[in-house]
Amino acid sequence: MASAVDRYFKITERGSTVAREIRGGLATFFALSYIVVLNPLILSGADAAGDHLGIPRVAAMTALVAGILTILMGVWAKHPFALATGLGVNAFVAVTVATHPGVTWPDMMGLVLVAGVVMFVLVLTGFRTAVFKAVPEGLKTAIVVGIGVFIALIGLVNAGFVRRIPDAAGTTVPLGLGDAGRLIGWPTLVFVVGLFLTIALMVRKVRGALLIGIIAATILANIVELVFHVGPSVAPGQQPNPAGWSLVVPGLGNVAPVDLSLFGKADPFGAFSHLGVLGALLLAFVILLSIFFDAMGTMVGLAREAGSMSENGQIPNVDRVLLVDAFGAIAGGGTSISSNQIFVESGAGIGEGARTGLANVVTGILLIVAMFLTPLINLVPFEAVAPALVIVGFLMFQQVAKIDWQDIGIAIPAFLTIGLMPFTYSIANGLGAGFISYVLVRLFQGRARDIHPLMWAVAAAFLIFFGIGPVEKLLGF
């Protein structure tokens, strides 16, 4: 059986072992398990009808759908790319429901479902794969580097090491060190200890360095909370606590019964009746463009880091990867938890050595188990996982040396791609800036023939994407 598993997943062929895949699957699970806690909070508001999705229902469905999709990606596409609810889309969905009178949760999730169906068709027709192949190699490398910086920033922000300075401070500096320029609180100390430990283990070339770092930081975090009762950074009805845990307070949470009643609640046509055809199509377009390019950029970054991308920039089974990702949008909309997509935190597992879909099977099984044992997820705070994300960011950033910085037609788009991903907290925004600037610079250079026809189309789509605000205002939405 062991040799059959090895042959099926090509474990030896990709330079891995079963032990590495298991460690990688565990690391990815720890890195993304927070989404089971965070997604219900993001989608917790009331819609126009005063209805709520319900935190226990969203949590259970988030874990179940992520687990099934992650296993499907591993078994069928055979890549260590875990899937879960995408943070960009779910935030957009929540804000739209809150700011558009008359729009209900079923309406909005119906638009996610529609966008997923369109995405699925684009993959089946080969359009999405063709766009992926049309991206210049230098830009693909910039995507890897940009995601590396982005994922490191996620780790630093989640740990409270870097924080947004409140607008009331009257400063033009958007981010600062800790609280008012000082590192405070036990959670930040847990992050720093975890980071130094992980670096030390990597320098000593200890197997499982990332996973050991996560586990050690988790144990320290639980001891700290048990002794000092730090509490959350933000709690309902209480003043913010800058020295608190960013989201998950380490410890066992409350057991909630598994409720999967959100399945099939989405209404694909509701938004069209409440907002009109044009208004609903504009929202669907924004969702479609976000999930289209977020996943493509993440896939490129993870595949390059895993060593599964060929020298000419191709990924094995890329059609299957994109089909599973497109199905993730359909499944997420149909279960009212927002679009599921390839999760950038999969880099933690890849950094631990995962190279095949077997790691995904491990991650997926743990996610399904988490549906029944959600209290166990609360044992792992952001601050314990953040060091692994910072290290993975470093590993991905090393690709920056492969960009031809002497070719300004690649250098400027690469710089904008790398810069805007972390600065705007969005992979899609970085891609859009890179694609548009690539087309413009090549055009200014008199090298329009070097631009693939699909790059013109993608750049035009991103121009609409970035200008969606004025377009909506012009049309009265």
Side-chain angles (χ1 to χ4, degrees), residues 283-304:
L283 289 177
F285 173 77
V286 174
I287 295 171
L288 175 64
L289 210 62
S290 179
I291 59 181
F292 188 108
F293 289 103
D294 256 4
M296 191 180 79
T298 305
M299 176 187 69
V300 170
L302 295 176
R304 179 69 64 83

Side-chain angles (χ1 to χ4, degrees), residues 193-205 209 387 390-391:
V193 171
L195 180 61
F196 286 161
L197 174 61
T198 305
I199 291 174
L201 293 172
M202 287 191 63
V203 170
R204 302 300 300 176
K205 298 183 179 180
V390 173
I391 295 299

Side-chain angles (χ1 to χ4, degrees), residues 42-227:
I42 292 176
L43 303 179
S44 62
D47 62 14
D51 295 327
H52 295 79
L53 293 175
I55 288 178
R57 294 196 298 176
V58 175
M61 197 60 81
T62 298
L64 177 62
V65 173
I68 293 173
L69 290 171
T70 297
I71 292 173
L72 179 61
M73 178 70 80
V75 173
W76 191 50
K78 302 179 183 179
H79 284 282
F81 307 156
L83 286 87
T85 304
L87 285 175
V89 177
N90 65 1
F92 174 77
V93 166
V95 169
T96 303
V97 168
T99 57
H100 285 65
V103 177
T104 65
W105 284 116
D107 296 342
M108 203 62 211
M109 293 303 176
L111 286 182
V112 176
L113 178 61
V114 169
V117 171
V118 174
M119 181 77 68
F120 201 80
V121 172
L122 291 176
V123 177
L124 288 177
T125 57
F127 178 79
R128 199 177 184 195
T129 307
V131 170
F132 164 71
K133 294 180 179 178
V135 178
E137 187 60 26
L139 267 185
K140 287 181 180 177
T141 303
I143 292 169
V144 179
V145 178
I147 290 176
V149 180
F150 180 40
I151 197 172
L153 179 61
I154 291 174
L156 292 170
V157 170
N158 288 348
F161 201 91
V162 172
R163 305 188 190 199
R164 186 178 72 84
I165 298 176
D167 297 335
T171 176
T172 57
V173 180
L175 298 174
L177 178 70
D179 183 60
R182 298 176 301 149
L183 296 177
I184 64 171
W186 288 102
T188 301
L189 178 64
V190 169
F191 163 74
V192 172
V193 171
L195 180 61
F196 286 161
L197 174 61
T198 305
I199 291 174
L201 293 172
M202 287 191 63
V203 170
R204 302 300 300 176
K205 298 183 179 180
V206 175
R207 291 182 180 179
L210 294 182
L211 185 57
I212 293 172
I214 292 173
I215 294 173
T218 297
I219 294 172
L220 176 60
N222 280 269
I223 294 173
V224 165
E225 179 59 26
L226 189 63
V227 175

Side-chain angles (χ1 to χ4, degrees), residues 205-276:
K205 298 183 179 180
V206 175
R207 291 182 180 179
L210 294 182
L211 185 57
I212 293 172
I214 292 173
I215 294 173
T218 297
I219 294 172
L220 176 60
N222 280 269
I223 294 173
V224 165
E225 179 59 26
L226 189 63
V227 175
F228 298 102
H229 306 291
V230 177
S233 58
V234 178
Q238 298 181 15
Q239 291 293 323
N241 174 21
W245 305 98
S246 58
L247 175 65
V248 179
V249 178
L252 289 175
N254 297 322
V255 177
V258 176
D259 185 347
L260 304 179
S261 59
L262 285 177
F263 183 83
K265 296 293 185 181
D267 182 358
F269 309 106
F272 290 88
S273 61
H274 290 143
L275 297 174

Side-chain angles (χ1 to χ4, degrees), residues 310-329:
S310 64
E311 292 184 0
N312 60 354
Q314 303 307 309
I315 300 174
N317 294 331
V318 65
D319 290 334
R320 294 186 178 187
V321 172
L322 294 176
L323 276 173
V324 175
D325 179 74
F327 182 66

Side-chain angles (χ1 to χ4, degrees), residues 385-477:
V385 176
L389 300 184
V390 173
I391 295 299
V392 169
F394 155 72
L395 295 174
M396 298 178 76
F397 186 81
Q398 291 178 307
Q399 299 280 337
V400 72
K402 297 181 179 180
I403 299 174
D404 184 3
W405 295 104
Q406 302 306 311
D407 180 359
I408 198 168
I410 287 293
I412 290 179
F415 171 74
L416 292 175
T417 299
I418 295 168
L420 286 182
M421 280 188 189
F423 290 157
T424 65
Y425 232 65
S426 168
I427 294 173
N429 289 345
L431 289 174
F435 290 169
I436 292 173
S437 60
Y438 172 78
V439 170
L440 289 177
V441 173
R442 284 296 190 226
L443 185 63
F444 297 153
Q445 288 179 317
R447 297 174 57 180
R449 292 183 179 181
D450 294 345
I451 306 171
H452 193 285
L454 284 177
M455 290 295 291
W456 287 98
V458 170
F462 266 115
L463 283 174
I464 299 174
F465 176 73
F466 287 134
I468 198 69
V471 170
E472 285 183 327
K473 186 173 291 186
L474 181 66
L475 296 176
F477 296 107

